[in-house]
Amino acid sequence: MASSDTPKPHKSPKIKNGEISTTQSKIKKKNRDMAKEEGEKKKSKKPKLSNGHSKQPQEKGAEGSGEDAKTNVFPMNRIRTMIKGEDPDMRVSQEAVLAINNAVEKFLEQFTQDAHAFCVQDRKKCLSYKHVANVVSKKRRYDFLSDFVPEKVKAEDALRERSAATNGVFQKM
C-alpha cells in the first residue's frame, strides 16, 4: 500500500520482461523502510502507567544517586487538587504530597491483600464487592469506610430488621 505522501506516477508503469520501473521500486522500498521504523518504534515503546511514567525504573543519574528512582502510582497534581478541595487556603509542600502518595499506596496494598484473603476463604478466583464489603465490616481498622462500602443486604431482610427495631422502640415505652 502506498501512503498518501508518496508521489504517484502520471503514466502507467512500463513493464519490460516482468520488471517494474525504478520509480515504483523506490517507492516500495521507501514504504518498507517506513513500516520497519514503525515496527521498531512499537517494540521499543515502554508501557506507561496512568500517571505518564513507565513501569520500568528511571535511568541512573536522574536523581544524582546510584539507586533507581521509584515512580509514584498516583499523579501528584491530583493529590494536591484533592487537598486543595478540602481547604483552598492550605499550603502543602511537595514532600507532604509525596508522603501522602506513598501512604495511600501502602494503604491500598494492605486493603486489597485483606480483601484477597476473604476471596481465598470463599474459594473464588476473582475479587468482588462482597469481599471488599466483608473486609470493611469485619476488620475494625477499616470502620471509617463503612459509610462508603456498606454490605449488600436484601430488601426483605432490611425491612424485617427495620420493623423489629421499630417494634422494640414501642414496646419500651
Side-chain angles (χ1 to χ4, degrees):
M1 263 178 14
S3 64
S4 60
D5 61 340
T6 58
K8 295 181 180 176
H10 297 293
K11 301 177 187 178
S12 62
K14 295 179 183 179
I15 300 175
K16 295 180 182 177
N17 297 332
E19 295 180 8
I20 301 176
S21 68
T22 56
T23 56
Q24 281 191 341
S25 63
K26 288 180 183 177
I27 292 170
K28 285 186 177 181
K29 183 178 179 185
K30 185 178 177 183
N31 289 341
R32 270 188 260 127
D33 291 342
M34 287 173 43
K36 283 182 184 178
E37 287 177 12
E38 288 176 7
E40 289 173 6
K41 285 180 184 177
K42 287 180 182 177
K43 288 179 185 175
S44 66
K45 195 172 187 179
K46 295 178 182 177
K48 299 282 184 177
L49 295 173
S50 62
N51 63 357
H53 298 299
S54 64
K55 288 182 179 178
Q56 300 167 348
Q58 298 174 352
E59 289 82 22
K60 291 181 182 178
E63 299 235 337
S65 65
E67 298 178 11
D68 294 333
K70 182 181 179 229
T71 59
N72 296 312
V73 175
F74 301 106
M76 303 291 259
N77 289 336
R78 287 189 186 174
I79 293 173
R80 187 178 300 276
T81 303
M82 290 172 66
I83 293 170
K84 292 282 186 180
E86 285 294 314
D87 185 12
D89 297 331
M90 186 181 294
R91 296 179 54 103
V92 182
S93 69
Q94 188 68 20
E95 291 84 17
V97 174
L98 182 66
I100 291 169
N101 196 340
N102 291 336
V104 168
E105 183 179 347
K106 289 183 185 295
F107 168 76
L108 285 176
E109 283 179 14
Q110 184 63 46
F111 185 64
T112 53
Q113 285 175 359
D114 292 344
H116 181 263
F118 277 98
C119 181
V120 170
Q121 283 179 355
D122 283 349
R123 297 182 183 179
K124 301 287 183 182
K125 291 186 177 181
C126 66
L127 192 64
S128 66
Y129 181 86
K130 175 185 167 188
H131 302 120
V132 173
N134 278 341
V135 169
V136 172
S137 66
K138 303 277 194 262
K139 296 215 176 198
R140 188 168 172 258
R141 74 169 75 162
Y142 300 116
D143 281 345
F144 69 97
L145 291 174
S146 61
D147 293 339
F148 302 104
V149 188
E151 278 193 274
K152 286 187 177 180
V153 180
K154 291 184 180 179
E156 59 189 37
D157 294 340
L159 290 173
R160 191 177 316 121
E161 287 179 23
R162 183 174 165 191
S163 65
T166 56
N167 289 340
V169 170
F170 289 125
Q171 289 175 359
K172 288 181 181 178
M173 288 183 179

